[in-house]
Amino acid sequence: MNYNPQEIEGKWQKNWERTKIYKVPDKARGKKNFYHLVMFPYPSGDLHIGHWFNFAPTDVYARFKRLQGFNVLSPIGFDAFGLPAENAAIQHGIHPKTWTYRNIKRMRKQLRSIGAIYDWSREIITCEPNYYKWTQWMFLQLYKKSLAYRAKIPANFCPSCKTVLANEQVIEGKCERCDSQVIQKEIEQWLFKITAYAEDLLKGLDEIDWPEITKIMQRNWIGKSEGTEIKFQIPNSKFQIPVFTTRADTLFGTTYLVVAPEHQIIETLKDKIVNYKFVKDYIEESKKKTERERISEIKEKTGIEIKGIKAINPVNNREIPIWVADYVLIHYGTGAIMAVPAHDQRDFLFAKKHGLPIIEVIKPKTGTSLFPEKAFEEDGILINSGVFSELDSAKAREEITKYLEKRNLGKKTVCYKLRDWLISRQRYWGAPIPMIFCQKCGWQQVKEKDLPVLLPKIRDFRPTGEGKSPLAKSKNFVETTCPKCNGPAQRETDTMDTFVCSSWYFLRYADPKNEKKFASKKKLRAWLPVNMYVGGAEHAVMHLLYSRFFTKVLKDFGYLDFYEPFLSLRHQGTILGPDGQKMSKSRGNVVDPEEQLKTYGSDTVRIYLCFMGPYNQGGPWNPKGIEGVYRFLKRVWNLQGKILNSKFEIRNQKLEKLVHKTIKKVTEDIENFRFNTAVSALMILTKEMEKQSEISIKDYLLLITLLAPMAPHISEELWQNLGHKKSIFLEKWPEYDPTLVREEIVTLIIQVNGRVRDKIEVEADISEEKAKELAFSQKKVKNWIEGKEIKKVIFVPGKLINIVVEEH
Ligand code: ANZ
Ligand code: ZN
C-alpha cells in the first residue's frame, strides 16, 4: 500500500473527534496541567499560511507536552469583534454579524484540517453575548475602582474609518487599518487608567520568560524616566510653571522656558499677556498638526514668545522669557520645559533660529566638545554654575535637586511615556459600553444583573462621521431608564476597543460556559497562568501589554491569584513568498495553504513549516523544500516493509544508539522551539534505517512516536496498523538511555613514519579530517613533522593515524 495522506488524514481527524481524545478534563489523575495557548485569530477571511505557521508548529509543541504526560489545554476561538470584520463587511455589503459567522464556519473547517489537538468544546467567540457580557462586567469593575473614566481629550481620529484610535493603533501617523493620515479631534472618551500600573507593568517583566526584544519594547513603551520637577516662579503673580527635566545639572544654562500650546498658564494669565492674539493664532495653527509632525526631527521647530510674563530661574534668580512651541507635548512630564540650548540640540536649533541666549554650563570630562557648533549633550563637569561648578553631572543632579527640595522649588520625580488607554470606539461591531447617562444623576453603571447590554441588530451599521457611533441612530437602544432614579435616560452608544475583548479571553477558556462568573476560581486555579503563549511579535505593546494590565487589575480586585498572565512567550517569524518578498496578492507570491494541503496533505505541510527555518524567524517558502518533506514521509511509510517479523530481535547496536541520540535531540529541540533541527534529526534516523536490510519493530515504533507530534495522521495510521488498538497520543513520550547517548571514547595512536609518537583520547566515531587536525596540533607530533613534507596520512578509524613524512 502506498502513502496516501488524503485518505488517512480525514479518517483520523474524524476518529479523533468521535473518540473525543482531545477533550480536556480540568483534572486528570497523575497528570500535571499545562496550558498552551496560541493567539486566537480574527475571523476576517481565509486561514492563510501565516496562520498555519502560528498554529501548526505550536500544535507540535502541545502534542509533545501531552505525550510527555501533561494534561494539556490547547484551546482555540475567535477574536470576532472589531474594525477588520466591520470594514470587510462594509466592503462586501453584508451585515458584520452574518459576515463574521460565515467566516467562523469556514475557518473552523480550515483549522480542523491542521489536525491540531484543540478542545473545540471550549471554543469562545468574543461577539457572543455570553462572552461580551463578561467584557462589560470587566468594564464595570474598572469603573467601580475609578480605573475607567471619561474625559474630553484630543484623540487620534481616522477620517476614513471615522473612529478614534488608540495610540498603539497609529503607526507613523497613519491608521493601522487603512493607512489614512490620522488627525487630532477633541471628543469625550472612555479611558482605562493603565498608567496607574506603569510601575507594576515594568517590574513584572523581570519575572517572565519572554523574548528579550519584546520586554524591551514594553519597557520603552512604558518609558520610565527619572528626573527632577523644577518650579519656575512667575514674578508679580502667585503662579509657577513646573518643568520636568532629566538634566537638573544644566539648570544654570536655562535661558528660556517653553510651554506646550495646550498649557493652562496661557489662559490663566491671559490678561497679562500683551501679544495674546498672536499667541492664540499660533495655538490654533498647531492644532492642525498631528503629534508626529510636532515632534518630527526634520521639521523646523516653530514657536512664539509669550510677551508680558517672565519666569525666574530658582538657582540664580535670573529672569528668563517664556515661549510657546508645539514641539513640547502637553501629556508628557508637566507640559513645559526649561530650555538649555548649549546642551540640548533641539533647544540649540530653536535658540539659534529665534536669537535666544546660549550659556555653556557643561564641559566634557575628557575629549572635546563640538560646542559652539552644536549642543554638547553628554554628561561632564559643571562650569558657570555657582557653587555647583566643578561637580560632575551625576553628582550635580543630586545636589541641585536637594537644594531645590529644601526650598520647596523642586523634587525628584519619575515620568512615564505610557498614556491611559482610550477604549471608546464610535463603531457598531463591538461590545457596547455598559453605561447610562441621566440628566439628573449623571453617568450611571448598568446593573450587573442587567448584563449583557445586547448589541442590537441594526440595518445601518456604517460609521456616521461626526464622532458618533451608529448605535446612536437606534432609538430603541439609546432610550432607557436611569438605574438610579428610574427617569428617562440614554445609553452610551460607543463600543469598546476590541483589544478589551482580547485582554481577558485566556481566562475564559478555563471555564467557557460559566454563566455566573467570568470563570470559577477553581477552574482558574487549575489552568492559569498560561504556561506557554505563542503569537506575533506585532502585539508587543498592545495585546500583550493590555492583558498584563487586566491580569494585574483582576489580581488586585481579588479575582485572580497571579500577577502575570503568560509565563513563557514565543513569537513566530514571518513566511515570505518563494521570491523572498513579503507575500502579497499584488506580487502574486502568495502561498495558498489549501492548495498545499490538496497536493501533499496536512502532515507534510506541518513538517515543512517546522523544517523551513528557525521558528522565530520564518523565511521564504521553498516549493522544492516541501517536495522533499513529502518524500521523507513516504520513506518513513515505506520503511514498514523492512520490519523484522521474527520474535527474536537482532540487536543492532549502532542503530539503537542512533535511536536514543535522536530521542534526546528531538526532545530537547521541541522543548526549545527548535522544530527545524528536530525534523533533521528524524530525517537522519530514517536514512540510517533505510540502509539496514531489516529493522526491529521496536526501533520503528520509536521513530513514529517521535514523529507523532509533527505528523500526527501518518503516525496514528502506522501505529494502529502495527497492531495497536488505542491512539498513539495516549502513549508516553520515549525516554533515552543515557548510557547509549554517551559518546564512546577510544585511544587514538599517532605515529610518524610508523613509530608511535603520541596517544590521544577521542570520540570513537571521530572523522578522518578531525583526527588529522588533532594529530597535527599535538606538540610531540609537531616536533617530528615540522619543516618536513607530508607524503601521506593513513587513518584507521577509531584506532590509529600514521603520518608519513619525507626522511633525509
Ligand atoms: C532640560 C534639558 C537639558 C533636557 C538638556 C535635556 C537635555 P526623557 O529622557 O525622554 O524623559 N521634555 C520634558 N518634558 C517634555 C515635553 N512635555 N515635551 C517635550 N520635551 C520634554 O526626556 C526628558 C527631557 O525631555 C527633559 O529634560 C526635557 O528636556 C524634555 F541638556 O530638560 B530636558
Ligand atoms: Zn437618574
Side-chain angles (χ1 to χ4, degrees):
M1 221 178 52
N2 286 332
Y3 174 45
N4 184 351
Q6 279 71 19
E7 200 174 290
I8 59 179
E9 292 185 351
K11 177 177 92 186
W12 287 114
Q13 281 165 20
K14 280 201 198 91
N15 176 288
W16 292 329
E17 227 156 278
R18 190 165 40 78
T19 54
K20 299 199 163 61
I21 87 161
Y22 301 135
K23 195 156 172 8
V24 191
D26 291 312
K27 217 171 150 184
R29 241 213 304 169
K31 289 182 175 185
K32 265 192 166 168
N33 282 0
F34 189 96
Y35 189 175
H36 167 77
L37 183 66
V38 289
M39 290 181 184
F40 62 168
Y42 292 117
S44 53
D46 279 316
L47 215 59
H48 53 69
I49 203 74
H51 285 123
W52 268 78
F53 195 42
N54 190 190
F55 300 143
T58 47
D59 183 57
V60 173
Y61 186 79
R63 285 179 182 271
F64 162 73
K65 281 287 162 195
R66 180 182 168 126
L67 282 163
Q68 273 193 327
F70 289 96
N71 180 37
V72 177
L73 170 59
S74 182
I76 193 83
F78 296 94
D79 190 6
F81 268 141
L83 282 178
E86 202 181 319
N87 285 346
I90 290 166
Q91 229 173 49
H92 295 79
I94 45 173
H95 197 276
K97 184 168 177 182
T98 319
W99 194 85
T100 301
Y101 279 87
R102 193 188 285 173
N103 284 340
I104 287 177
K105 206 168 146 203
R106 208 184 144 84
M107 284 173 86
R108 267 193 203 125
K109 216 176 127 222
Q110 294 172 327
L111 280 162
R112 282 191 157 91
S113 71
I114 295 176
I117 63 169
Y118 301 134
D119 179 352
W120 284 97
S121 71
R122 291 177 188 256
E123 180 197 55
I124 56 179
I125 300 175
T126 58
C127 65
E128 295 270 309
N130 74 10
Y131 182 87
Y132 70 71
K133 167 181 176 175
W134 298 106
T135 305
Q136 292 173 338
W137 180 87
M138 299 275 166
F139 178 97
L140 293 182
Q141 306 316 304
L142 286 154
Y143 183 77
K144 285 186 174 90
K145 308 266 175 173
S146 306
L147 290 169
Y149 65 95
R150 208 172 151 78
K152 185 162 187 167
I153 57 158
N156 303 304
F157 187 82
C158 171
S160 160
C161 294
K162 298 196 168 78
T163 185
V164 160
L165 302 169
N167 288 325
E168 292 85 339
Q169 289 164 324
V170 182
I171 314 289
E172 311 212 323
K174 289 186 176 157
C175 170
E176 174 198 48
R177 302 275 179 232
C178 73
D179 235 26
S180 317
Q181 192 72 39
V182 169
I183 59 165
Q184 301 296 304
K185 200 166 175 164
E186 284 222 342
I187 312 177
E188 278 220 9
Q189 305 285 332
W190 289 100
L191 295 106
F192 284 164
K193 206 170 185 158
I194 190 170
T195 52
Y197 281 82
E199 196 57 39
D200 285 345
L201 286 166
L202 264 185
K203 279 206 192 107
L205 288 174
D206 299 333
E207 295 156 25
I208 45 182
D209 165 34
W210 281 27
E212 202 47 42
I213 175 90
T214 309
K215 290 190 186 182
I216 290 171
M217 278 174 78
Q218 289 209 352
R219 283 194 195 105
N220 290 345
W221 189 259
I222 296 165
K224 181 177 182 173
S225 180
E226 289 173 85
T228 312
E229 190 180 303
I230 303 177
K231 292 177 191 159
F232 285 72
Q233 213 63 48
I234 296 173
N236 311 318
S237 89
K238 56 177 198 269
F239 296 101
Q240 305 169 319
I241 298 179
V243 306
F244 171 72
T245 179
T246 48
R247 295 295 307 271
D249 53 317
T250 63
L251 184 52
F252 283 82
T254 303
T255 54
Y256 56 98
L257 293 193
V258 189
V259 299
E262 301 86 351
H263 202 284
Q264 81 272 4
I265 200 77
I266 299 168
E267 279 313 295
T268 312
L269 295 180
K270 157 180 185 180
D271 297 337
K272 289 185 184 240
I273 301 172
V274 295
N275 62 342
Y276 182 74
K277 192 189 162 304
F278 294 108
V279 169
K280 209 61 194 156
D281 287 347
Y282 176 79
I283 293 169
E284 282 310 310
E285 211 42 44
S286 74
K287 273 191 190 150
K288 292 186 194 147
K289 295 189 213 164
T290 62
E291 189 171 306
R292 191 176 127 79
E293 285 172 311
R294 284 172 53 168
I295 58 173
S296 158
E297 301 260 329
I298 10 176
K299 290 241 162 77
E300 200 159 330
K301 306 284 175 291
T302 59
I304 173 172
E305 186 181 348
I306 305 176
K307 293 191 172 144
I309 56 172
K310 298 268 179 202
I312 303 287
N313 185 337
V315 275
N316 55 15
N317 292 321
R318 255 191 228 150
E319 221 177 63
I320 54 173
I322 306 171
W323 284 62
V324 53
D326 60 16
Y327 73 84
V328 175
L329 303 175
I330 190 67
H331 311 283
Y332 188 60
T334 61
I337 65 156
M338 58 183 230
V340 186
H343 303 289
D344 180 295
Q345 186 60 17
R346 209 176 38 179
D347 298 341
F348 181 81
L349 295 173
F350 192 84
K352 282 267 181 211
K353 182 179 170 201
H354 300 285
L356 288 152
I358 300 173
I359 301 173
E360 188 187 23
V361 290
I362 310 283
K363 278 271 185 224
K365 257 188 197 166
T366 53
T368 48
S369 143
L370 280 180
F371 186 83
E373 292 307 312
K374 62 190 281 222
F376 174 70
E377 295 192 306
E378 274 139 70
D379 275 6
I381 304 286
L382 270 68
I383 56 167
N384 300 328
S385 298
V387 292
F388 303 100
S389 295
E390 275 160 52
L391 289 180
D392 70 47
S393 289
K395 183 85 183 144
R397 277 194 285 275
E398 258 175 52
E399 293 299 321
I400 292 178
T401 304
K402 263 195 230 154
Y403 174 93
L404 296 169
E405 271 169 353
K406 263 191 216 136
R407 288 157 184 80
N408 205 15
L409 287 167
K411 58 174 193 274
K412 237 176 132 148
T413 36
V414 176
C415 280
Y416 298 91
K417 294 251 152 63
L418 185 68
R419 296 203 206 150
D420 282 341
W421 171 17
L422 201 166
I423 60 117
S424 344
R425 295 291 179 273
Q426 292 75 45
R427 294 290 291 234
Y428 169 70
W429 194 234
I433 294 175
M435 295 296 291
I436 292 171
F437 186 75
C438 168
Q439 288 295 345
K440 257 190 4 216
C441 317
W443 283 103
Q444 297 296 319
Q445 335 168 28
V446 172
K447 290 198 177 119
E448 272 179 33
K449 69 170 178 52
D450 295 333
L451 294 181
V453 176
L454 285 173
L455 180 68
K457 189 153 186 186
I458 58 170
R459 262 233 199 112
D460 188 7
F461 55 82
R462 284 162 315 164
T464 60
E466 307 329 298
K468 272 214 155 175
S469 156
L471 285 179
K473 290 184 277 191
S474 166
K475 262 199 167 168
N476 261 341
F477 177 80
V478 175
E479 283 174 12
T480 185
T481 50
C482 170
K484 198 171 170 193
C485 72
N486 265 323
Q490 276 104 43
R491 281 189 196 283
E492 168 64 69
T493 57
D494 284 357
T495 56
M496 283 185 248
D497 178 4
T498 149
F499 280 112
V500 179
C501 308
S502 57
S503 290
W504 70 278
Y505 81 108
F506 48 92
L507 303 171
R508 185 67 176 171
Y509 281 133
D511 196 5
K513 308 243 154 55
N514 197 327
E515 294 189 354
K516 301 219 164 63
K517 290 177 179 166
F518 69 89
S520 82
K521 268 228 153 131
K522 199 167 146 206
K523 297 201 176 194
L524 287 169
R525 225 169 259 147
W527 290 112
L528 282 127
V530 174
N531 297 88
M532 177 58 77
Y533 194 31
V534 187
E538 70 276 13
H539 294 287
V541 291
M542 292 191 266
H543 164 61
L544 288 169
L545 192 65
Y546 299 149
S547 300
R548 295 184 59 227
F549 166 57
F550 259 61
T551 303
K552 288 173 196 301
V553 169
L554 290 170
K555 158 80 171 94
D556 284 349
F557 293 176
Y559 293 109
L560 301 177
D561 45 24
F562 53 92
Y563 272 117
E564 288 294 334
F566 315 123
L567 297 179
S568 289
L569 171 75
R570 302 288 179 270
H571 297 307
Q572 79 273 19
T574 318
I575 300 191
L576 305 171
D579 54 358
Q581 301 293 314
K582 203 176 163 206
M583 280 190 201
S584 79
K585 280 201 186 119
S586 59
R587 277 209 191 88
N589 62 352
V590 176
V591 173
D592 174 15
E594 298 257 318
E595 248 169 57
Q596 304 295 324
L597 207 58
K598 254 189 226 139
T599 321
Y600 303 110
S602 166
D603 283 339
T604 297
V605 178
R606 291 170 61 108
I607 296 198
Y608 176 65
L609 290 169
C610 286
F611 188 52
M612 62 184 300
Y615 185 61
N616 60 359
Q617 286 169 32
W621 184 271
N622 177 353
K624 285 215 180 87
I626 191 162
E627 190 67 49
V629 167
Y630 186 56
R631 279 200 305 273
F632 160 63
L633 284 183
K634 268 204 259 189
R635 282 162 39 211
V636 171
W637 178 269
N638 292 337
L639 275 177
Q640 286 177 92
K642 291 197 181 222
I643 295 174
L644 182 74
N645 276 319
S646 153
K647 279 192 185 134
F648 309 99
E649 280 189 11
I650 332 159
R651 277 187 42 154
N652 177 338
Q653 271 209 342
K654 192 174 171 209
L655 191 62
E656 200 183 0
K657 272 193 182 165
L658 184 64
V659 167
H660 282 265
K661 277 188 189 167
T662 311
I663 296 174
K664 180 169 189 279
K665 176 115 183 86
V666 173
T667 307
E668 290 170 0
D669 283 353
I670 298 183
E671 186 62 63
N672 292 296
F673 275 61
R674 293 189 301 254
F675 304 110
N676 54 336
T677 48
V679 177
S680 348
L682 290 174
M683 287 176 166
I684 291 169
L685 180 60
T686 303
K687 233 178 229 161
E688 197 51 46
M689 286 186 169
E690 278 179 326
K691 283 191 203 152
Q692 313 291 324
S693 54
E694 292 174 325
I695 48 174
S696 74
I697 182 135
K698 192 170 129 241
D699 286 341
Y700 187 61
L701 288 177
L702 277 170
L703 168 70
I704 61 174
T705 313
L706 293 177
L707 186 67
M710 301 178 198
H713 310 87
I714 187 177
S715 305
E716 187 78 293
E717 175 77 14
L718 290 167
W719 180 260
Q720 302 212 15
N721 275 354
L722 290 168
H724 299 95
K725 292 258 156 12
K726 282 190 183 155
S727 168
I728 191 170
F729 295 100
L730 299 171
E731 286 304 304
K732 273 219 85 165
W733 187 251
E735 278 178 28
Y736 60 88
D737 180 344
T739 59
L740 287 175
V741 300
R742 207 184 297 143
E743 297 292 347
E744 218 181 305
I745 302 294
V746 293
T747 306
L748 186 76
I749 295 167
I750 309 173
Q751 299 178 334
V752 178
N753 290 349
R755 287 206 191 135
V756 178
R757 297 297 179 196
D758 205 353
K759 288 175 185 170
I760 54 171
E761 308 265 280
V762 296
E763 282 168 11
D765 60 351
I766 188 168
S767 67
E768 178 162 357
E769 214 176 315
K770 194 85 198 279
K772 268 192 206 169
E773 202 186 296
L774 275 173
F776 288 148
S777 63
Q778 300 305 309
K779 218 174 164 192
K780 287 186 198 160
V781 179
K782 269 191 193 159
N783 290 338
W784 293 99
I785 61 174
E786 229 155 35
K788 292 180 184 162
E789 189 195 333
I790 291 164
K791 296 214 150 144
K792 68 177 171 190
V793 179
I794 301 153
F795 177 63
V796 184
K799 288 211 172 72
L800 120 171
I801 186 162
N802 182 14
I803 306 165
V804 183
V805 298
E806 55 168 346
E807 270 182 297
H808 297 287

